[in-house]
């Protein structure tokens, strides 16, 4: 596992956490192509000019329906996709096995179980309840270290791809195919039911405040929730795949994450919980109660990227048009090159210490982003400003980053006004 800056097809950086297939227990081959690495957005995505990005101290994008989240992520370029349920569950299991189940914003800006743990809140339609991405302590990351994936517990629910329920029957895109551009539309032929060892399809039955598993479609349709550990699978022989996908608790699981489900019609899946979920939030928290067209101010998403063997790395060629940094001061160019060399596992006999590289990666991205805003606002000396941004202390850069999104919105509004005035 390592942190890396990856540029999308617009040449704008994302901060990603990169894993080998073995590290996550995910397929080493998708649709006949050998997978080199899975890169997961370190943060729930924000939107910049309608494109999702993984950046710290930003307001996470919400009010995005399921299909739009898929479209936005896949629009970032080849290999990009909405994080799949396979990938989310792999991270959740990694946390559980390592004893680092993350906490998060589960009580309006703080952890319900550790109220001394807080993030930076901001005001929107939820009041001052949500926190800026990555603004909480390291225990809000899935590894309890600075290098882990952030904010998977609480704050906002997140769409995941490659899974749905149809009248209570669980269906998936097999072998993480949703990470490789599979058709996830309602009428897609790629949806595949999960089966028991006896060949029966698996249905979830919601009735009288209980959720159980059964091999035939339930007679009634209902919506309810129970603690994840209280799911009842006694009516079937629960397959390991159901546990691997985070759809049934592993033996000995004692978490308080909640599992919600509606067995009426097609239902997509969101995970993680929100700022008000309390003990019900967590990496195994699950809600299969929404339609694919639903839009909610407590639901967002994060992108991910598959790199295939033979693909060139995004940091291998800084002269490439997609990663043109000609306007940046020389020390920022040198810093990016240095971090690229440290993070290139193929060229290093000894892995770089992530603690030495993460803060540098974050600083480089923020300095670049803030400089772009400065230039958009008509700043006269962007090179000096970029140097100042890169050299600012941690407190200063965090405060500036928190203002980056509203500043970009102001710049967009001003530019629109100028264009209209000239007509």
């Amino acid at each position: 596992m390592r942190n890396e800056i990856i540029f999308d097809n617009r040449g704008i950086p994302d901060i990603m956490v990169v894993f080998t297939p073995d590290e996550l227990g995910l397929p080493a081959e998708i649709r006949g192509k050998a997978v080199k690495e899975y890169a997961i957005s370190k943060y729930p995505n924000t939107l910049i000019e309608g494109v999702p990005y993984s950046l710290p101290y930003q307001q996470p994008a919400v009010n995005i329906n399921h299909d739009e989240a898929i479209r936005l992520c896949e629009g970032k370029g080849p290999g990009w996709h909405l994080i799949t349920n396979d990938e989310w569950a792999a991270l959740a299991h990694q946390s559980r096995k390592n004893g680092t189940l993350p906490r998060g914003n589960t009580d309006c800006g703080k952890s319900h179980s550790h109220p001394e743990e807080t993030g930076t809140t901001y005001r929107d339609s939820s009041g001052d309840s949500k926190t800026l991405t990555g603004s909480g302590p390291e225990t809000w990351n899935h590894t309890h270290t600075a290098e882990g994936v952030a904010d998977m517990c609480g704050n906002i629910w997140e769409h995941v791809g490659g899974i749905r329920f149809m009248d209570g029957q669980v269906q998936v895109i097999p072998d993480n195919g949703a990470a490789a551009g599979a058709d996830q539309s309602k009428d897609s032929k790629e949806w595949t039911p999960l089966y028991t060892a006896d060949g029966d399809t698996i249905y979830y039955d919601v009735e009288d405040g209980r959720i159980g598993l059964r091999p035939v479609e339930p007679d009634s349709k209902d919506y309810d929730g129970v603690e994840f550990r209280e799911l009842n699978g006694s009516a079937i022989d629960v397959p390991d795949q159901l546990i691997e996908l985070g759809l049934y608790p592993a033996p000995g699981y004692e978490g308080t994450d909640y599992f919600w489900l509606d067995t009426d019609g097609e239902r997509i899946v969101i995970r993680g919980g929100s700022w008000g979920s309390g003990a019900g939030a967590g990496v195994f928290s699950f809600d299969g109660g929404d339609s694919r067209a639903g839009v909610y101010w407590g639901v967002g998403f994060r992108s991910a990227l598959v790199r295939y063997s033979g693909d060139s790395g995004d940091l291998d060629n800084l002269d490439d048009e997609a990663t043109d940094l000609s306007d940046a001061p020389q020390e920022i160019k040198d810093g990016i090159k240095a971090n690229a060399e440290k993070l290139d596992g193929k060229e290093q006999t000894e892995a770089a210490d992530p603690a030495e590289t993460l803060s540098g990666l974050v600083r480089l991205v923020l300095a670049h982003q803030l400089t772009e805003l400065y230039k958009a606002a008509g700043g006269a000396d962007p090179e000096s400003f970029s140097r100042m941004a890169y050299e600012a202390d941690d407190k200063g850069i965090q405060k500036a980053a928190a203002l980056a999104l509203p500043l970009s919105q102001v710049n967009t509004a001003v530019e629109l006004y100028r264009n209209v005035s000239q007509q």
Side-chain angles (χ1 to χ4, degrees), residues 62-201:
V62 292
N63 292 317
I64 305 292
N65 70 37
H66 190 71
D67 288 338
E68 182 71 356
I70 293 172
R71 184 191 69 78
L72 289 170
C73 293
E74 293 182 351
K76 286 174 67 64
W80 288 92
H81 59 277
L82 174 67
I83 187 172
T84 66
N85 184 70
D86 299 54
E87 293 162 351
W88 181 287
L91 292 167
H93 284 300
Q94 188 179 75
S95 292
R96 181 184 61 83
K97 292 175 182 177
N98 292 336
T100 58
L101 288 171
R103 298 187 284 272
N105 173 19
T106 53
D107 186 16
C108 300
K110 62 182 182 296
S111 164
H112 74 279
S113 61
H114 290 70
E116 73 280 5
E117 296 183 356
T118 63
T120 302
T121 58
Y122 62 93
R123 176 166 288 276
D124 69 352
S125 54
S126 67
D128 291 320
S129 301
K130 298 176 191 168
T131 52
L132 297 176
T133 58
S135 63
E138 292 179 0
T139 50
W140 290 16
N141 295 349
H142 92 291
T143 56
H144 286 198
T145 69
E147 288 68 52
V149 179
D151 303 336
M152 294 181 69
C153 170
N155 203 39
I156 59 168
W157 289 94
E158 297 186 39
H159 291 287
V160 294
I163 185 173
R164 72 171 183 177
F165 285 78
M166 183 62 76
D167 291 321
Q169 183 188 74
V170 58
Q171 300 178 353
V172 300
I173 305 291
D175 302 319
N176 204 28
D183 180 6
Q184 300 183 64
S185 65
K186 182 175 182 179
D187 297 327
S188 170
K189 304 300 184 184
E190 299 197 53
W191 291 113
T192 303
L194 293 184
Y195 295 91
T196 68
D198 296 328
D200 296 317
T201 56

Side-chain angles (χ1 to χ4, degrees), residues 359-410:
S359 61
L361 293 175
V362 172
R363 183 174 295 277
L364 290 169
V365 172
L366 292 178
H368 177 74
Q369 183 183 14
L370 293 169
T371 303
E372 291 301 308
L373 293 173
Y374 175 83
K375 290 193 292 185
D381 190 357
E383 184 170 344
S384 295
F385 179 88
S386 183
R387 186 174 295 106
M388 289 171 58
Y390 183 70
E391 294 174 351
D393 61 26
D394 289 345
K395 184 174 293 186
I397 203 82
Q398 289 177 6
K399 289 182 178 179
L403 294 172
L405 184 59
L407 283 173
S408 67
Q409 293 171 338
V410 170

Side-chain angles (χ1 to χ4, degrees), residues 253-274:
Y253 179 77
E254 293 297 332
T256 58
D257 310 45
Y258 240 68
F259 188 100
W260 301 88
L261 186 63
D262 190 333
T263 56
D264 186 11
E266 187 199 39
R267 301 292 165 180
I268 55 88
V269 172
I270 55 178
R271 306 208 70 152
S274 76

